[in-house]
Amino acid sequence: MGTFCSVIKFENLQELKRLCHWGPIIALGVIAICSTMAMIDSVLWYWPLHTTGGSVNFIMLINWTVMILYNYFNAMFAGPGFVPRGWKPENPQDSMYLQYCKVCQAYKAPRSHHCRKCNRCIMKMDHHCPWINNCCGHQNHASFTLFLLLVPLGCIHAAFIFVMTMYTQLYNRLSFGWNTVKIDMSAARRDPLPIVPFGLAAFAATLFALGLALGTTIAVGMLFFIQIKIILRNKTSIESWIEEKREQLKQKADKRVRSVRYKVIEDYSGACCPLNRGIKTFFTSPCTEEPRIQLQKGELILATRGLRYWLYGDKILDDSFIEGTSRIRGWFPRNCVEKCPCDGESDPAPEGEKKNR
């Protein structure tokens, strides 16, 4: 009830501005189109006032719409939970274990991060979601996850109604000839139930809503799977990204430690499949989108991995020459280079080196 009151009061009328963004506009537009078309088509397919099944079907549609909108607005307006400006831990000694945010002029609580979009530190921040135009954090993570679960379920129900409506409405309108199939969209149904006229415009709108529902089911369903995977590991999206980044940096550092220095002994033009470097080099060119690098005699290369006839590495250039320039790295033929004398005895072969492709 307290959450509901906070949604009604919005705690600050400025929160209403969150609706004026492309994310909420598109999300609410998709919900409105799918829900409206599903309710209209359910009347055409399964009249809710004459059968128990039709009544249950119509009530379920309304239920999906209400629950989706409630969790959506709750995730948007309840907010993720902000670290108070100027916050400090009760025990001053604990501040040595916390990071300090210069923007918020406060210490960051454990598992909190600063959001550049919201310009605040978010408690247990997961990510900034453009679809709700707000951060997903400690207070609204549950509502956001329920929203991701309910949307695919509601869209699957709506898609089933769209398919059944088009099938039942077109069943008595098809006329088969020897070479053609004709559809009479002006023909009325013979059954006496009150229906909404199903013309060409209604058919096109139903077909569009079906595609929208199926696309939303796939897209939001994937987001829900990712969220559940992270929740089961008791992590947030940012924490998972930090761990992956740390592992990548560790692997790169290990590669540099195990890298071997080579000296270019023959020029190489940077061709993908060089004919002048031998038949074996030509036919064993790496099947990858990674670039080839031009080599000139006398240059130094730091190789990190390789194949039998090819190596991958970075050019070692003068610091004054490459200041402000990105690294030059890529594949090059092995027979264009030789190991430097200082590295030939002590350093191991490049990581990933194979005897064949």
Side-chain angles (χ1 to χ4, degrees):
M1 188 65 182
T3 303
F4 181 76
C5 291
S6 66
V7 173
I8 297 300
K9 296 177 181 177
F10 300 122
E11 297 179 355
N12 187 351
L13 292 178
Q14 296 297 324
E15 292 293 319
L16 286 171
K17 291 183 179 180
R18 295 191 182 277
L19 292 170
C20 302
H21 185 262
W22 63 265
I25 291 174
I26 294 176
L28 293 175
V30 171
I31 295 171
I33 292 173
C34 291
S35 300
T36 303
M37 289 305 303
M39 291 179 187
I40 293 174
D41 287 356
S42 66
V43 173
L44 292 170
W45 169 57
Y46 210 170
W47 182 246
L49 299 181
H50 285 194
T51 60
T52 303
S55 300
V56 172
N57 175 68
F58 198 77
I59 292 173
M60 283 297 297
L61 274 178
I62 297 176
N63 180 63
W64 291 128
T65 304
V66 171
M67 293 180 66
I68 288 171
L69 290 176
Y70 172 77
N71 285 284
Y72 179 79
F73 287 124
N74 196 23
M76 178 186 291
F77 293 122
F82 301 107
V83 177
R85 295 187 184 276
W87 179 82
K88 296 180 181 180
E90 295 181 359
N91 187 358
Q93 295 181 351
D94 294 338
S95 60
M96 62 183 297
Y97 303 105
L98 301 174
Q99 293 180 326
Y100 185 80
C101 179
K102 295 181 180 179
V103 178
C104 298
Q105 296 294 313
Y107 285 94
K108 294 182 181 179
R111 305 185 74 176
S112 65
H113 299 274
H114 185 84
C115 176
R116 294 180 181 178
K117 296 286 186 180
C118 299
N119 201 31
R120 291 289 301 273
C121 286
I122 311 299
M123 293 190 295
K124 199 180 177 182
M125 179 179 175
D126 188 83
H127 67 287
H128 184 91
C129 179
W131 304 110
I132 62 174
N133 195 20
N134 205 343
C135 275
C136 181
H138 175 67
Q139 290 185 1
N140 62 353
H141 201 179
S143 297
F144 180 77
T145 305
L146 283 174
F147 169 74
L148 295 182
L149 171 63
L150 294 170
V151 167
L153 295 178
C155 286
I156 291 172
H157 187 187
F160 178 76
I161 293 174
F162 297 148
V163 172
M164 294 306 298
T165 300
M166 288 189 292
Y167 172 76
T168 56
Q169 290 297 310
L170 296 178
Y171 183 76
N172 293 327
R173 302 167 189 258
L174 294 175
S175 59
F176 296 89
W178 287 103
N179 298 318
T180 60
V181 178
K182 296 182 179 180
I183 303 176
D184 182 10
M185 297 303 295
S186 63
R189 285 184 56 183
R190 298 176 182 174
D191 97 36
L193 298 178
I195 60 171
V196 178
F198 192 80
L200 185 61
F203 174 77
T206 301
L207 195 61
F208 174 75
L210 175 61
L212 204 60
L214 293 177
T216 303
T217 300
I218 296 172
V220 181
M222 292 177 63
L223 292 176
F224 174 73
F225 175 77
I226 294 173
Q227 282 294 314
I228 286 297
K229 187 177 178 180
I230 292 173
I231 291 172
L232 292 177
R233 294 177 179 177
N234 192 25
K235 297 177 183 176
T236 63
S237 298
I238 290 182
E239 291 169 351
S240 297
W241 179 84
I242 290 174
E243 287 189 0
E244 292 176 3
K245 193 66 176 179
R246 181 177 58 188
E247 187 64 25
Q248 290 176 3
L249 293 175
K250 182 180 178 182
Q251 292 177 359
K252 288 182 179 180
D254 291 341
K255 282 184 179 180
R256 285 198 167 275
V257 170
R258 294 193 296 268
S259 60
V260 181
R261 183 173 299 186
Y262 286 84
K263 184 177 181 180
V264 180
I265 57 176
E266 294 184 22
D267 293 347
Y268 168 56
S269 63
C272 181
C273 300
L275 290 171
N276 60 343
R277 305 269 31 113
I279 297 297
K280 293 182 179 180
T281 302
F282 177 83
F283 284 106
T284 58
S285 178
C287 299
T288 174
E289 295 181 355
E290 293 173 316
R292 276 63 170 170
I293 55 175
Q294 292 184 348
L295 300 179
Q296 293 182 357
K297 188 175 179 180
E299 291 181 332
L300 295 178
I301 305 290
L302 199 62
T304 56
R305 52 191 167 98
L307 302 173
R308 186 173 181 179
Y309 297 103
W310 290 81
L311 291 172
Y312 184 91
D314 300 65
K315 276 189 179 182
I316 302 176
L317 301 175
D318 184 14
D319 292 341
S320 61
F321 176 80
I322 64 172
E323 185 177 358
T325 307
S326 59
R327 294 161 56 188
I328 302 175
R329 53 185 174 180
W331 290 94
F332 53 90
R334 184 185 287 270
N335 55 14
C336 291
V337 297
E338 66 177 3
K339 286 186 180 180
C340 291
C342 57
D343 295 339
E345 299 179 357
S346 59
D347 289 351
E351 182 185 357
E353 186 172 327
K354 302 176 184 176
K355 302 224 171 168
N356 45 43
R357 289 184 69 193

